Amino acid sequence: MGGAGGDFGGGSDPVISRLTKEDPIPWYKKPNLRFLYFMLFPTCMGIELTSGFDSQMINALQILESWILYFDDPQGALKGIISAAYSLGAILSLPLVPIINDRFGRRWSIALGSITMIVGALIQGFSQHVGMYIVARMILGFGIPTCIVSGSSLIGELAYPKERPVLTSLFNVSYFVGQIVAAAIVFGTNNIASNWGWRIPSLLQVCPSLLQLAFVFFIPESPRWLITKDRSQEAHDILKKYHGEMERGEEFVAAEFAQMQAVIRLEYETVSKSSWMDLFRTSGMRKRLLISSMLGLFTQWSGNTLISYFLGDLLKMIGYTESTFIQKINVSIACWSLICGVTVSLLVTRIRRRVMYMACTISLLLCYIAWTISMERAMTGKKIGKPNNGANIATLFFIYMYSPCYNMGYNALTYTYMVEIWPYAERSRGIAVFQLFGRLAGFFTTFVNPIGLKNVGWKYLISYCCWLAFEVCFVYFMFPETMGRTLEELTFMFEGEDLQRQANAAAEKVVNHAEHDTTGLGRRSTSENKLGGSSEVKEHVP
């Protein structure tokens, strides 16, 4: 399984991938596609602004004097639950996410999740005591998974195949934009002596959700979701408008549409009964479930929550206690992470998925080992009253080095990989499972991290070194290669060549018919009525 190379179609021709590679026109010269991509940024790619804003805001507020005084300087378990409440709220909502997605579609799911987060941000900003603050953060967390699952799926299902890997990889990059904005805001309110020093950043967490609500209905619905709801004409029109701006546009859209219909029909006939039990029904689904569950754990148990939520504590442990200095480090790490995230996201079409994940896990392990050693030297120097400036600088260096290592796989590829390995019918449930394990891991680590750092200091980092060694082994043996194929061509990668051959055959039939049709009248596999320049697609998926 680990050595799978991405040739999942057996002897069949991955015709959509071939037609995509033959298209010489860049996306920015296609007016409709260009508009779509610009609209995806505030609506879908901006979703993780909220998560990035939250992690950095909580990190920064914990060193803000007005926040510390108002909540009576929370420590230990209480400090952990304040940070972890966001993840706890997300966990509680996850069983509902696939139901909302399948019933209301991707756009309305984003809208409903955004409304929930707006309510949570308002309560958070006007909290009167720590209990109210924790509940508000749970409400914020309750809304985010619906948006994440819907947004990441919608990007993958609307994007033109050539740009899809880059766009889904950029989905997580907005996390760092949120971090930068939050760090800058808290840095700006740092000198406000009143409670508005922490209330203003808490209230401004409403902004990303307002942005999503304002723009979400300017983008189309997922064509695949429309097909499952017997709205094939709408799905075809969306594909024609956004994917048909090429030399062989009519032929490409006809083949893509036929393949979508065939694959979705095969999914519901063979592997999907629209139930959570589908995830356990076949060997292929169980493999996807295992990979998604472990990837969820990896994204949160690789040591990143230490930096995201407890950077102030880490710096204080090695002698950096000045608030302004810590805030500057916060902002600089967020900016550096954004640069790393964007750079890696632009490389996903050039470097194979397994190579990126292996480079990610191995480099994280080496980085954490070096960080643990430098942290021990720095804390020892502080303890004996002889600060070890070299160890302090080395610790800061490895904290910064962590970002490119982590971004190589667990940021850039996360949703690209999830969208690729899960078939349409189970995509919402699959990403929800990934979210569940990620949020459970996030809740656990944000709750345990302050306790571990307080009780055992630098030795706590050793636990992450051990876990990262396990990640290297798991990725090597279990992660399949998915690069270079469309979503439909990847649908049955674990189910065998026969189903994949049937899926590809629908598109091949359209293309072969078009290539041998000298009259030009037989270019679509769906029947059409040409009335007033429009076409009616009459073939539907039951």
Side-chain angles (χ1 to χ4, degrees):
M1 181 175 174
D7 184 14
F8 303 113
S12 60
D13 178 21
V15 62
I16 303 298
S17 294
R18 176 167 57 83
L19 290 175
T20 301
K21 291 175 183 177
E22 292 172 359
D23 177 18
I25 306 173
W27 65 269
Y28 51 84
K29 290 186 179 180
K30 301 176 180 180
N32 293 331
L33 193 62
R34 185 173 64 235
F35 173 81
L36 173 64
Y37 289 169
F38 283 136
M39 285 296 101
L40 284 175
F41 269 89
T43 53
C44 295
M45 295 181 192
I47 287 170
E48 282 284 33
L49 280 169
T50 301
S51 295
F53 192 103
D54 182 82
S55 69
Q56 189 67 14
M57 183 191 71
I58 287 297
N59 200 349
L61 287 182
Q62 289 175 13
I63 55 176
L64 199 65
E65 193 66 27
S66 59
W67 187 91
I68 294 171
L69 290 174
Y70 191 85
F71 293 114
D72 198 25
D73 193 14
Q75 294 294 325
L78 179 58
K79 189 175 187 178
I81 198 66
I82 290 173
S83 298
Y86 186 80
S87 293
L88 179 59
I91 292 166
L92 295 175
S93 76
L94 283 168
L96 302 175
V97 171
I99 298 172
I100 295 171
N101 256 268
D102 293 342
R103 180 167 298 181
F104 299 107
R106 311 303 196 201
R107 295 188 303 173
W108 272 106
S109 297
I110 293 172
L112 291 171
S114 299
I115 292 170
T116 304
M117 288 189 286
I118 289 170
V119 173
L122 292 175
I123 297 174
Q124 178 179 252
F126 292 110
S127 292
Q128 300 302 304
H129 48 75
V130 69
M132 188 174 177
Y133 196 76
I134 291 171
V135 170
R137 290 182 49 70
M138 288 179 64
I139 295 172
L140 271 165
F142 194 87
I144 191 67
T146 306
C147 292
I148 289 176
V149 173
S150 306
S152 58
S153 299
L154 190 56
I155 292 171
E157 291 163 7
L158 282 177
Y160 186 62
K162 186 181 291 186
E163 290 88 37
R164 175 185 54 77
V166 174
L167 291 175
T168 49
S169 296
L170 286 171
F171 177 78
N172 250 357
V173 169
S174 63
Y175 180 94
F176 301 121
V177 178
Q179 278 193 319
I180 293 169
V181 172
I185 290 171
V186 177
F187 187 75
T189 61
N190 194 35
N191 296 322
I192 299 177
S194 70
N195 289 324
W196 287 107
W198 65 266
R199 290 192 188 276
I200 289 174
S202 298
L203 285 169
L204 287 177
Q205 198 166 353
V206 77
C207 293
S209 298
L210 289 174
L211 197 65
Q212 290 147 32
L213 272 181
F215 289 99
V216 70
F217 293 106
F218 285 95
I219 60 175
E221 185 53 84
S222 165
R224 292 164 178 85
W225 182 80
L226 291 170
I227 289 172
T228 64
K229 300 302 177 184
D230 200 31
R231 294 162 63 181
S232 296
Q233 179 62 50
E234 294 177 55
H236 182 273
D237 290 345
I238 290 169
L239 293 174
K240 182 178 180 181
K241 180 176 181 179
Y242 296 106
H243 290 190
E245 298 174 292
M246 54 190 291
E247 293 176 2
R248 301 173 67 181
E250 184 178 351
E251 179 184 340
F252 178 85
V253 170
E256 185 180 35
F257 182 70
Q259 190 180 56
M260 281 184 189
Q261 287 187 311
V263 167
I264 290 173
R265 183 183 294 110
L266 282 170
E267 281 186 57
Y268 282 104
E269 288 176 355
T270 58
V271 297
S272 176
K273 306 298 179 186
S274 297
S275 163
W276 280 102
M277 292 307 297
D278 291 339
L279 306 187
F280 303 91
R281 199 178 305 278
T282 67
S283 172
M285 285 299 175
R286 290 191 292 272
K287 289 176 183 176
R288 292 182 179 94
L289 182 63
L290 177 61
I291 293 169
S292 301
S293 302
M294 297 309 297
L295 187 55
L297 295 179
F298 294 168
T299 58
Q300 298 299 317
W301 277 1
S302 298
N304 50 308
T305 52
L306 271 179
I307 299 173
S308 297
Y309 286 90
F310 303 102
L311 178 63
D313 292 344
L314 289 170
L315 295 180
K316 288 175 183 177
M317 288 168 67
I318 59 174
Y320 296 113
T321 59
E322 207 271 313
S323 175
T324 303
F325 175 81
I326 296 174
Q327 295 281 21
K328 288 178 179 178
I329 295 293
N330 255 334
V331 175
S332 64
I333 287 177
C335 293
W336 171 236
S337 297
L338 176 62
I339 293 170
C340 296
V342 172
T343 302
V344 174
S345 295
L346 298 177
L347 296 175
V348 295
T349 57
R350 301 173 181 271
I351 306 174
R352 298 175 74 85
R353 311 285 189 255
R354 279 176 50 78
V355 173
M356 291 183 73
Y357 271 124
M358 286 303 300
C360 169
T361 52
I362 292 172
S363 61
L364 280 176
L365 175 59
L366 296 175
C367 182
Y368 240 91
I369 291 173
W371 180 8
T372 303
I373 294 170
S374 67
M375 192 85 171
E376 185 274 332
R377 292 288 84 202
M379 290 187 67
T380 300
K382 181 188 174 187
K383 185 177 180 180
I384 63 176
K386 296 180 179 179
N388 189 330
N389 291 328
N392 290 348
I393 293 172
T395 299
L396 282 174
F397 172 79
F398 290 118
I399 288 174
Y400 278 93
M401 274 304 298
Y402 182 91
S403 182
C405 300
Y406 182 88
N407 277 287
M408 218 179 298
Y410 295 147
N411 182 269
L413 283 184
T414 296
Y415 290 101
T416 299
Y417 207 59
M418 286 294 97
V419 170
E420 288 176 345
I421 69 170
W422 283 101
Y424 168 80
E426 304 302 332
R427 189 165 294 139
S428 294
R429 274 178 281 273
I431 298 177
V433 168
F434 161 78
Q435 278 282 306
L436 173 63
F437 278 83
R439 297 297 176 179
L440 285 170
F443 175 80
F444 177 81
T445 55
T446 50
F447 181 76
V448 170
N449 279 342
I451 300 172
L453 290 175
K454 182 179 179 181
N455 292 337
V456 295
W458 67 268
K459 296 183 182 71
Y460 183 62
L461 275 64
I462 297 175
S463 62
Y464 284 111
C465 295
C466 298
W467 178 257
L468 286 166
F470 167 73
E471 290 183 14
V472 173
C473 298
F474 188 92
V475 168
Y476 180 79
F477 288 107
M478 300 301 292
F479 276 35
E481 184 57 65
T482 59
M483 183 182 178
R485 292 290 184 265
T486 67
L487 299 185
E488 276 67 38
E489 290 163 357
L490 290 167
T491 296
F492 302 111
M493 71 165 100
F494 295 127
E495 278 73 28
E497 295 182 1
D498 185 55
L499 283 173
Q500 194 59 59
R501 192 176 291 110
Q502 291 181 56
N504 289 343
E508 291 173 22
K509 183 178 180 181
V510 173
V511 174
N512 291 336
H513 183 56
E515 288 175 348
H516 291 88
D517 181 18
T518 57
T519 66
L521 298 176
R523 287 188 177 268
R524 292 191 182 170
S525 62
T526 55
S527 57
E528 299 180 354
N529 276 336
K530 299 263 183 168
L531 295 172
S534 65
S535 61
E536 181 183 356
V537 180
K538 294 193 172 183
E539 182 181 347
H540 300 291
V541 174

